[in-house]
Structures are given as structure tokens and as C-alpha cells.
Short mmCIF file of all heavy atoms in Angstrom, two decimals:
data_model
loop_
_atom_site.label_atom_id
_atom_site.label_comp_id
_atom_site.label_asym_id
_atom_site.label_seq_id
_atom_site.Cartn_x
_atom_site.Cartn_y
_atom_site.Cartn_z
N MET I 1 0.81 -1.15 -0.01
CA MET I 1 -0.08 0.01 -0.01
C MET I 1 0.82 1.18 0.05
O MET I 1 1.94 1.28 0.58
CB MET I 1 -0.88 0.06 1.29
CG MET I 1 -1.62 1.31 1.43
SD MET I 1 -2.41 1.45 3.05
CE MET I 1 -3.79 0.42 2.81
N LYS I 2 0.35 2.22 -0.70
CA LYS I 2 1.02 3.54 -0.83
C LYS I 2 -0.01 4.65 -0.48
O LYS I 2 -1.17 4.46 -0.69
CB LYS I 2 1.57 3.68 -2.31
CG LYS I 2 2.74 4.34 -2.50
CD LYS I 2 3.11 4.21 -3.93
CE LYS I 2 3.90 5.48 -4.28
NZ LYS I 2 4.49 5.44 -5.58
N VAL I 3 0.51 5.81 0.02
CA VAL I 3 -0.34 6.93 0.20
C VAL I 3 0.23 8.10 -0.65
O VAL I 3 1.38 8.46 -0.62
CB VAL I 3 -0.36 7.43 1.67
CG1 VAL I 3 -1.33 8.57 1.81
CG2 VAL I 3 -0.81 6.34 2.60
N ILE I 4 -0.69 8.60 -1.47
CA ILE I 4 -0.32 9.81 -2.34
C ILE I 4 -0.92 11.03 -1.57
O ILE I 4 -2.18 11.10 -1.27
CB ILE I 4 -0.95 9.75 -3.67
CG1 ILE I 4 -0.61 8.36 -4.36
CG2 ILE I 4 -0.55 10.91 -4.53
CD1 ILE I 4 0.87 8.23 -4.69
N VAL I 5 -0.09 12.05 -1.27
CA VAL I 5 -0.57 13.21 -0.67
C VAL I 5 -0.60 14.38 -1.75
O VAL I 5 0.36 14.65 -2.49
CB VAL I 5 0.45 13.71 0.40
CG1 VAL I 5 -0.06 15.07 1.01
CG2 VAL I 5 0.59 12.62 1.40
N GLN I 6 -1.76 14.90 -1.91
CA GLN I 6 -1.96 16.08 -2.88
C GLN I 6 -1.83 17.34 -2.07
O GLN I 6 -2.79 17.80 -1.46
CB GLN I 6 -3.35 16.03 -3.63
CG GLN I 6 -3.34 14.90 -4.59
CD GLN I 6 -4.73 14.88 -5.23
OE1 GLN I 6 -5.67 14.17 -4.81
NE2 GLN I 6 -4.89 15.69 -6.20
N ALA I 7 -0.59 17.85 -1.96
CA ALA I 7 -0.22 18.88 -1.11
C ALA I 7 -0.99 20.11 -1.37
O ALA I 7 -1.33 20.88 -0.36
CB ALA I 7 1.24 19.22 -1.17
N ASN I 8 -1.42 20.38 -2.51
CA ASN I 8 -2.21 21.49 -2.93
C ASN I 8 -3.56 21.52 -2.36
O ASN I 8 -4.23 22.54 -2.24
CB ASN I 8 -2.23 21.75 -4.43
CG ASN I 8 -2.78 20.55 -5.15
OD1 ASN I 8 -2.68 19.45 -4.75
ND2 ASN I 8 -3.40 20.91 -6.28
N ARG I 9 -4.11 20.35 -1.95
CA ARG I 9 -5.37 20.25 -1.39
C ARG I 9 -5.43 20.43 0.11
O ARG I 9 -6.37 20.73 0.73
CB ARG I 9 -6.05 18.86 -1.68
CG ARG I 9 -6.62 18.81 -3.10
CD ARG I 9 -7.14 17.35 -3.28
NE ARG I 9 -7.80 17.24 -4.60
CZ ARG I 9 -9.18 17.36 -4.73
NH1 ARG I 9 -9.97 17.39 -3.77
NH2 ARG I 9 -9.61 17.18 -5.92
N CYS I 10 -4.31 20.06 0.80
CA CYS I 10 -4.23 19.97 2.26
C CYS I 10 -4.40 21.39 2.75
O CYS I 10 -3.77 22.38 2.46
CB CYS I 10 -2.81 19.46 2.68
SG CYS I 10 -2.68 19.49 4.53
N GLN I 11 -5.34 21.49 3.78
CA GLN I 11 -5.62 22.74 4.50
C GLN I 11 -5.30 22.63 5.92
O GLN I 11 -5.59 23.55 6.78
CB GLN I 11 -7.12 23.06 4.28
CG GLN I 11 -7.63 23.26 2.84
CD GLN I 11 -6.86 24.45 2.22
OE1 GLN I 11 -6.77 25.58 2.89
NE2 GLN I 11 -6.54 24.37 0.99
N GLY I 12 -4.70 21.65 6.34
CA GLY I 12 -4.12 21.54 7.67
C GLY I 12 -5.17 21.13 8.74
O GLY I 12 -5.03 21.47 9.88
N HIS I 13 -6.10 20.41 8.31
CA HIS I 13 -7.10 19.88 9.35
C HIS I 13 -6.68 18.89 10.39
O HIS I 13 -7.30 18.72 11.36
CB HIS I 13 -8.35 19.33 8.54
CG HIS I 13 -9.11 20.28 7.70
ND1 HIS I 13 -9.80 21.42 8.18
CD2 HIS I 13 -9.23 20.36 6.35
CE1 HIS I 13 -10.32 22.06 7.27
NE2 HIS I 13 -9.95 21.52 6.06
N ALA I 14 -5.63 18.19 9.95
CA ALA I 14 -4.97 17.34 10.98
C ALA I 14 -5.86 16.03 11.39
O ALA I 14 -5.50 15.35 12.33
CB ALA I 14 -4.48 17.95 12.21
N ARG I 15 -6.80 15.80 10.70
CA ARG I 15 -7.65 14.63 10.99
C ARG I 15 -6.96 13.38 10.62
O ARG I 15 -7.15 12.35 11.13
CB ARG I 15 -8.99 14.69 10.26
CG ARG I 15 -9.83 15.86 10.88
CD ARG I 15 -11.22 15.75 10.40
NE ARG I 15 -11.90 17.05 10.65
CZ ARG I 15 -13.09 17.42 10.16
NH1 ARG I 15 -13.79 16.59 9.40
NH2 ARG I 15 -13.57 18.60 10.41
N CYS I 16 -6.07 13.53 9.48
CA CYS I 16 -5.29 12.40 9.09
C CYS I 16 -4.42 11.87 10.26
O CYS I 16 -4.30 10.72 10.53
CB CYS I 16 -4.44 12.66 7.90
SG CYS I 16 -3.43 14.21 8.11
N LEU I 17 -3.80 12.89 10.93
CA LEU I 17 -2.84 12.53 12.00
C LEU I 17 -3.67 11.92 13.18
O LEU I 17 -3.17 10.98 13.91
CB LEU I 17 -2.11 13.87 12.52
CG LEU I 17 -1.06 13.67 13.48
CD1 LEU I 17 0.08 12.87 12.96
CD2 LEU I 17 -0.65 15.01 14.07
N ALA I 18 -4.82 12.45 13.51
CA ALA I 18 -5.64 11.91 14.59
C ALA I 18 -5.98 10.48 14.30
O ALA I 18 -5.99 9.63 15.28
CB ALA I 18 -6.88 12.78 14.77
N GLU I 19 -6.24 10.11 13.11
CA GLU I 19 -6.62 8.76 12.75
C GLU I 19 -5.50 7.84 12.55
O GLU I 19 -5.60 6.59 12.62
CB GLU I 19 -7.55 8.69 11.54
CG GLU I 19 -8.95 9.40 11.85
CD GLU I 19 -9.81 8.60 12.84
OE1 GLU I 19 -9.66 7.42 12.96
OE2 GLU I 19 -10.67 9.23 13.57
N GLY I 20 -4.38 8.40 12.05
CA GLY I 20 -3.20 7.60 11.72
C GLY I 20 -1.97 8.16 12.24
O GLY I 20 -1.00 8.56 11.46
N PRO I 21 -1.83 8.33 13.55
CA PRO I 21 -0.65 8.89 14.16
C PRO I 21 0.72 8.30 13.78
O PRO I 21 1.77 8.97 13.90
CB PRO I 21 -0.89 8.88 15.65
CG PRO I 21 -1.94 7.79 15.79
CD PRO I 21 -2.75 7.73 14.49
N ASP I 22 0.67 6.97 13.43
CA ASP I 22 1.94 6.36 13.20
C ASP I 22 2.25 6.37 11.54
O ASP I 22 3.26 5.76 11.21
CB ASP I 22 1.90 4.91 13.68
CG ASP I 22 1.64 4.83 15.03
OD1 ASP I 22 2.32 5.55 15.86
OD2 ASP I 22 0.89 3.97 15.56
N VAL I 23 1.34 6.92 10.84
CA VAL I 23 1.55 6.90 9.43
C VAL I 23 1.81 8.39 8.92
O VAL I 23 2.74 8.67 8.19
CB VAL I 23 0.27 6.45 8.67
CG1 VAL I 23 0.38 6.60 7.11
CG2 VAL I 23 0.04 4.94 9.06
N TYR I 24 0.95 9.33 9.39
CA TYR I 24 0.93 10.71 8.81
C TYR I 24 1.82 11.63 9.63
O TYR I 24 1.95 11.51 10.84
CB TYR I 24 -0.45 11.24 8.78
CG TYR I 24 -1.28 10.32 7.77
CD1 TYR I 24 -2.23 9.48 8.26
CD2 TYR I 24 -1.03 10.49 6.43
CE1 TYR I 24 -2.89 8.62 7.36
CE2 TYR I 24 -1.79 9.62 5.50
CZ TYR I 24 -2.64 8.80 5.96
OH TYR I 24 -3.34 8.06 5.09
N VAL I 25 2.47 12.49 8.87
CA VAL I 25 3.39 13.43 9.38
C VAL I 25 2.99 14.92 8.91
O VAL I 25 2.62 15.05 7.77
CB VAL I 25 4.88 13.18 8.92
CG1 VAL I 25 5.86 14.29 9.40
CG2 VAL I 25 5.35 11.83 9.24
N LEU I 26 2.91 15.84 9.77
CA LEU I 26 2.59 17.18 9.43
C LEU I 26 3.79 18.04 9.64
O LEU I 26 4.63 17.88 10.48
CB LEU I 26 1.46 17.75 10.28
CG LEU I 26 0.15 16.95 10.39
CD1 LEU I 26 -0.91 17.78 11.22
CD2 LEU I 26 -0.33 16.54 9.01
N ASP I 27 3.90 19.09 8.82
CA ASP I 27 5.14 19.97 8.85
C ASP I 27 4.82 21.04 10.01
O ASP I 27 3.82 21.01 10.66
CB ASP I 27 5.49 20.65 7.59
CG ASP I 27 4.33 21.57 7.07
OD1 ASP I 27 3.47 21.95 7.78
OD2 ASP I 27 4.40 21.86 5.86
N ASP I 28 5.79 21.93 10.15
CA ASP I 28 5.61 22.92 11.23
C ASP I 28 4.43 23.79 11.11
O ASP I 28 3.89 24.47 12.14
CB ASP I 28 6.90 23.85 11.29
CG ASP I 28 8.13 23.02 11.76
OD1 ASP I 28 7.96 21.91 12.31
OD2 ASP I 28 9.27 23.52 11.50
N LEU I 29 3.92 23.90 9.95
CA LEU I 29 2.70 24.73 9.70
C LEU I 29 1.37 23.95 9.85
O LEU I 29 0.36 24.46 9.59
CB LEU I 29 2.78 25.52 8.30
CG LEU I 29 3.98 26.45 8.20
CD1 LEU I 29 4.11 27.06 6.80
CD2 LEU I 29 3.83 27.61 9.29
N GLY I 30 1.59 22.61 9.97
CA GLY I 30 0.37 21.80 10.16
C GLY I 30 -0.11 21.11 8.83
O GLY I 30 -1.20 20.52 8.74
N TYR I 31 0.75 21.26 7.77
CA TYR I 31 0.31 20.64 6.49
C TYR I 31 0.92 19.28 6.33
O TYR I 31 2.03 18.97 6.85
CB TYR I 31 0.76 21.51 5.35
CG TYR I 31 0.11 22.79 5.33
CD1 TYR I 31 0.63 24.00 5.76
CD2 TYR I 31 -1.28 22.89 4.96
CE1 TYR I 31 0.07 25.18 5.69
CE2 TYR I 31 -1.84 24.14 4.90
CZ TYR I 31 -1.26 25.32 5.23
OH TYR I 31 -1.93 26.48 5.19
N ASN I 32 0.18 18.35 5.77
CA ASN I 32 0.65 16.98 5.61
C ASN I 32 1.98 16.91 4.78
O ASN I 32 1.97 17.40 3.62
CB ASN I 32 -0.42 16.21 4.94
CG ASN I 32 -0.22 14.70 5.17
OD1 ASN I 32 0.83 14.19 4.94
ND2 ASN I 32 -1.25 13.94 5.44
N SER I 33 2.94 16.39 5.38
CA SER I 33 4.24 16.30 4.66
C SER I 33 4.58 14.82 4.66
O SER I 33 5.94 14.48 4.59
CB SER I 33 5.31 17.08 5.36
OG SER I 33 5.44 16.74 6.68
N THR I 34 3.69 13.90 4.76
CA THR I 34 4.04 12.44 4.71
C THR I 34 4.80 12.04 3.43
O THR I 34 4.23 12.46 2.34
CB THR I 34 2.68 11.67 4.91
OG1 THR I 34 2.01 12.08 6.02
CG2 THR I 34 3.01 10.11 4.98
N ASN I 35 5.76 11.33 3.58
CA ASN I 35 6.51 10.83 2.44
C ASN I 35 6.85 9.34 2.71
O ASN I 35 7.73 9.03 3.31
CB ASN I 35 7.72 11.55 2.22
CG ASN I 35 8.40 11.19 0.93
OD1 ASN I 35 7.94 10.27 0.15
ND2 ASN I 35 9.57 11.74 0.59
N ILE I 36 5.88 8.47 2.35
CA ILE I 36 6.05 7.12 2.67
C ILE I 36 5.82 6.22 1.47
O ILE I 36 4.76 6.32 0.76
CB ILE I 36 5.07 6.68 3.78
CG1 ILE I 36 5.32 5.24 4.26
CG2 ILE I 36 3.65 6.92 3.48
CD1 ILE I 36 4.67 4.91 5.67
N ASP I 37 6.80 5.48 1.06
CA ASP I 37 6.76 4.78 -0.16
C ASP I 37 5.93 3.44 0.03
O ASP I 37 5.16 3.00 -0.89
CB ASP I 37 8.13 4.25 -0.60
CG ASP I 37 8.84 5.30 -1.48
OD1 ASP I 37 8.06 6.21 -1.96
OD2 ASP I 37 10.08 5.25 -1.58
N HIS I 38 6.04 2.84 1.21
CA HIS I 38 5.36 1.62 1.45
C HIS I 38 4.77 1.65 2.85
O HIS I 38 5.52 1.76 3.80
CB HIS I 38 6.28 0.42 1.20
CG HIS I 38 5.64 -0.92 1.63
ND1 HIS I 38 4.77 -1.46 0.74
CD2 HIS I 38 5.81 -1.72 2.64
CE1 HIS I 38 4.32 -2.65 1.33
NE2 HIS I 38 4.97 -2.72 2.50
N VAL I 39 3.45 1.48 3.01
CA VAL I 39 2.84 1.45 4.31
C VAL I 39 2.92 -0.04 4.86
O VAL I 39 2.48 -0.94 4.09
CB VAL I 39 1.37 1.85 4.22
CG1 VAL I 39 0.71 1.70 5.64
CG2 VAL I 39 1.27 3.27 3.69
N PRO I 40 3.64 -0.30 5.98
CA PRO I 40 3.71 -1.65 6.41
C PRO I 40 2.29 -2.18 6.76
O PRO I 40 1.40 -1.40 7.11
CB PRO I 40 4.56 -1.49 7.64
CG PRO I 40 4.89 -0.05 7.95
CD PRO I 40 4.34 0.66 6.75
N PRO I 41 2.12 -3.43 6.64
CA PRO I 41 0.85 -4.05 6.80
C PRO I 41 0.06 -3.70 8.16
O PRO I 41 -1.04 -3.40 8.26
CB PRO I 41 1.06 -5.61 6.79
CG PRO I 41 2.30 -5.74 5.96
CD PRO I 41 3.15 -4.50 6.22
N HIS I 42 0.87 -3.58 9.26
CA HIS I 42 0.27 -3.39 10.54
C HIS I 42 -0.23 -1.80 10.55
O HIS I 42 -0.93 -1.50 11.55
CB HIS I 42 1.17 -3.69 11.66
CG HIS I 42 2.41 -2.78 11.77
ND1 HIS I 42 3.44 -2.78 10.92
CD2 HIS I 42 2.68 -1.79 12.66
CE1 HIS I 42 4.33 -1.97 11.27
NE2 HIS I 42 3.85 -1.35 12.35
N LEU I 43 0.20 -0.99 9.63
CA LEU I 43 -0.35 0.44 9.67
C LEU I 43 -1.41 0.69 8.53
O LEU I 43 -1.77 1.84 8.45
CB LEU I 43 0.90 1.32 9.56
CG LEU I 43 1.89 1.27 10.65
CD1 LEU I 43 3.06 2.25 10.43
CD2 LEU I 43 1.15 1.61 12.01
N GLU I 44 -1.74 -0.27 7.82
CA GLU I 44 -2.65 -0.02 6.70
C GLU I 44 -3.93 0.49 7.14
O GLU I 44 -4.58 1.38 6.56
CB GLU I 44 -2.89 -1.35 5.96
CG GLU I 44 -1.60 -1.66 5.10
CD GLU I 44 -1.79 -2.82 4.18
OE1 GLU I 44 -2.78 -3.62 4.30
OE2 GLU I 44 -0.88 -3.13 3.30
N ASP I 45 -4.46 -0.04 8.29
CA ASP I 45 -5.83 0.45 8.78
C ASP I 45 -5.74 1.99 9.20
O ASP I 45 -6.61 2.77 8.88
CB ASP I 45 -6.32 -0.36 10.00
CG ASP I 45 -6.90 -1.66 9.57
OD1 ASP I 45 -7.11 -1.93 8.29
OD2 ASP I 45 -7.09 -2.54 10.45
N GLN I 46 -4.67 2.30 9.81
CA GLN I 46 -4.45 3.69 10.20
C GLN I 46 -4.37 4.57 8.88
O GLN I 46 -4.91 5.67 8.85
CB GLN I 46 -3.16 3.83 10.89
CG GLN I 46 -3.24 3.58 12.40
CD GLN I 46 -1.96 4.20 13.24
OE1 GLN I 46 -1.44 5.23 12.77
NE2 GLN I 46 -1.60 3.54 14.17
N ALA I 47 -3.67 4.11 7.91
CA ALA I 47 -3.50 4.83 6.76
C ALA I 47 -4.92 5.18 5.99
O ALA I 47 -5.23 6.18 5.60
CB ALA I 47 -2.63 4.18 5.63
N ARG I 48 -5.65 3.98 5.89
CA ARG I 48 -6.98 4.06 5.35
C ARG I 48 -7.93 5.10 6.24
O ARG I 48 -8.63 5.84 5.62
CB ARG I 48 -7.70 2.72 5.26
CG ARG I 48 -7.15 1.89 4.25
CD ARG I 48 -8.01 0.56 4.16
NE ARG I 48 -7.33 -0.51 3.32
CZ ARG I 48 -6.63 -1.49 3.97
NH1 ARG I 48 -6.62 -1.62 5.17
NH2 ARG I 48 -5.97 -2.33 3.19
N ARG I 49 -7.97 4.91 7.47
CA ARG I 49 -8.72 5.69 8.26
C ARG I 49 -8.40 7.25 8.17
O ARG I 49 -9.18 8.07 8.06
CB ARG I 49 -8.73 5.39 9.73
CG ARG I 49 -9.45 3.97 10.09
CD ARG I 49 -9.79 3.94 11.53
NE ARG I 49 -8.74 4.10 12.48
CZ ARG I 49 -7.90 3.03 12.72
NH1 ARG I 49 -8.15 1.87 12.36
NH2 ARG I 49 -6.86 3.22 13.58
N GLY I 50 -7.12 7.44 8.19
CA GLY I 50 -6.62 8.79 8.01
C GLY I 50 -7.04 9.46 6.69
O GLY I 50 -7.49 10.56 6.63
N ALA I 51 -6.97 8.72 5.57
CA ALA I 51 -7.29 9.19 4.29
C ALA I 51 -8.77 9.46 4.23
O ALA I 51 -9.22 10.52 3.62
CB ALA I 51 -6.90 8.15 3.16
N LEU I 52 -9.59 8.59 4.78
CA LEU I 52 -11.06 8.77 4.82
C LEU I 52 -11.51 9.97 5.62
O LEU I 52 -12.47 10.60 5.37
CB LEU I 52 -11.72 7.59 5.35
CG LEU I 52 -11.81 6.35 4.39
CD1 LEU I 52 -12.40 5.11 5.12
CD2 LEU I 52 -12.78 6.65 3.15
N ALA I 53 -10.71 10.33 6.56
CA ALA I 53 -11.04 11.44 7.48
C ALA I 53 -10.76 12.81 6.97
O ALA I 53 -11.17 13.78 7.50
CB ALA I 53 -10.22 11.25 8.85
N CYS I 54 -9.89 12.79 5.89
CA CYS I 54 -9.53 14.14 5.30
C CYS I 54 -10.71 14.84 4.63
O CYS I 54 -11.19 14.31 3.62
CB CYS I 54 -8.28 14.06 4.45
SG CYS I 54 -7.87 15.58 3.69
N PRO I 55 -11.19 15.90 5.09
CA PRO I 55 -12.31 16.62 4.45
C PRO I 55 -12.00 17.17 3.16
O PRO I 55 -12.91 17.50 2.37
CB PRO I 55 -12.74 17.68 5.52
CG PRO I 55 -11.51 17.91 6.23
CD PRO I 55 -10.75 16.67 6.33
N GLU I 56 -10.71 17.40 2.80
CA GLU I 56 -10.33 18.02 1.62
C GLU I 56 -9.96 16.91 0.48
O GLU I 56 -9.51 17.27 -0.61
CB GLU I 56 -9.07 18.82 1.76
CG GLU I 56 -9.19 19.93 2.89
CD GLU I 56 -10.26 20.96 2.55
OE1 GLU I 56 -10.55 21.17 1.36
OE2 GLU I 56 -10.70 21.56 3.48
N LEU I 57 -10.11 15.65 0.86
CA LEU I 57 -9.85 14.52 -0.05
C LEU I 57 -8.36 14.65 -0.51
O LEU I 57 -8.14 14.53 -1.77
CB LEU I 57 -10.83 14.50 -1.19
CG LEU I 57 -12.30 14.43 -0.81
CD1 LEU I 57 -13.20 14.44 -2.12
CD2 LEU I 57 -12.56 13.23 0.05
N ALA I 58 -7.44 15.04 0.28
CA ALA I 58 -6.10 15.33 -0.05
C ALA I 58 -5.26 13.96 -0.17
O ALA I 58 -4.18 14.00 -0.68
CB ALA I 58 -5.39 16.22 0.80
N LEU I 59 -5.75 12.90 0.36
CA LEU I 59 -5.04 11.62 0.55
C LEU I 59 -5.67 10.52 -0.33
O LEU I 59 -6.84 10.19 -0.18
CB LEU I 59 -5.01 11.24 1.99
CG LEU I 59 -4.44 12.33 2.96
CD1 LEU I 59 -4.61 11.95 4.39
CD2 LEU I 59 -3.05 12.68 2.65
N THR I 60 -4.82 9.85 -1.06
CA THR I 60 -5.25 8.79 -1.90
C THR I 60 -4.49 7.56 -1.51
O THR I 60 -3.24 7.51 -1.42
CB THR I 60 -5.00 9.04 -3.44
OG1 THR I 60 -5.65 10.28 -3.76
CG2 THR I 60 -5.62 7.97 -4.29
N ILE I 61 -5.24 6.44 -1.25
CA ILE I 61 -4.63 5.13 -1.03
C ILE I 61 -4.46 4.35 -2.16
O ILE I 61 -5.44 4.26 -3.04
CB ILE I 61 -5.50 4.37 0.06
CG1 ILE I 61 -5.66 5.12 1.39
CG2 ILE I 61 -5.04 2.95 0.22
CD1 ILE I 61 -4.40 5.08 2.23
N ILE I 62 -3.27 3.88 -2.44
CA ILE I 62 -3.04 2.88 -3.55
C ILE I 62 -2.76 1.58 -3.02
O ILE I 62 -1.84 1.37 -2.26
CB ILE I 62 -1.93 3.41 -4.48
CG1 ILE I 62 -1.93 4.79 -4.77
CG2 ILE I 62 -1.75 2.40 -5.66
CD1 ILE I 62 -3.02 5.17 -5.86
N GLU I 63 -3.76 0.64 -3.14
CA GLU I 63 -3.58 -0.66 -2.63
C GLU I 63 -2.65 -1.47 -3.57
O GLU I 63 -2.58 -1.21 -4.67
CB GLU I 63 -4.97 -1.34 -2.53
CG GLU I 63 -6.06 -0.72 -1.76
CD GLU I 63 -5.93 -0.97 -0.30
OE1 GLU I 63 -5.06 -1.78 0.14
OE2 GLU I 63 -6.65 -0.36 0.45
N ASP I 64 -1.95 -2.35 -2.92
CA ASP I 64 -0.92 -3.26 -3.78
C ASP I 64 -1.75 -4.12 -4.64
O ASP I 64 -2.82 -4.43 -4.47
CB ASP I 64 -0.16 -4.01 -2.67
CG ASP I 64 0.89 -3.15 -1.96
OD1 ASP I 64 1.31 -2.17 -2.51
OD2 ASP I 64 1.21 -3.59 -0.87
FE1 F3S L 1 -4.25 17.99 5.52
FE2 F3S L 1 -6.42 16.58 5.24
FE3 F3S L 1 -4.58 15.93 7.05
S1 F3S L 1 -6.40 18.65 5.12
S2 F3S L 1 -3.62 17.83 7.55
S3 F3S L 1 -4.39 15.95 4.75
S4 F3S L 1 -6.79 15.83 7.30
#
């Protein structure tokens, strides 16, 4: 699994981080700066929940 972040959509709502604290990373201004090539299996649920929680639809999950 992979997560694509569309940085131009992110408005800093931080719901991704609340749902996926071990997957998502925010920068100093609160914008999603996650750069992860491969989500390990034990974090896939967090990744999915975080992506679903984003009201700006900034996160896309690519399943393997
Ligand atoms: Fe940005 Fe959405 Fe997270 S707006 S900080 S990617 S909840």
C-alpha cells in the first residue's frame, strides 16, 4: 500500500494525524508532509482511516 498526498489540497485539518498517528506526518505549519513509499501491513488500517477522515480529499490510498 502507498499513500499519495496532494499537497495543494491540504488545508491543515490534521484529521489524518488523529486517525493515523503512526503513518501521517505534518510539517511545522500543520500541513501534511508524509512521504512514505510503502505502508507496512500493521499500519494499513491507520492509513485508510486517515485518508477517509480528510475533508479535503487530499489523501489517496493505492492498494498493492
Ligand atoms: Fe491536510 Fe487533510 Fe490531513 S487537510 S492535515 S491531509 S486531514
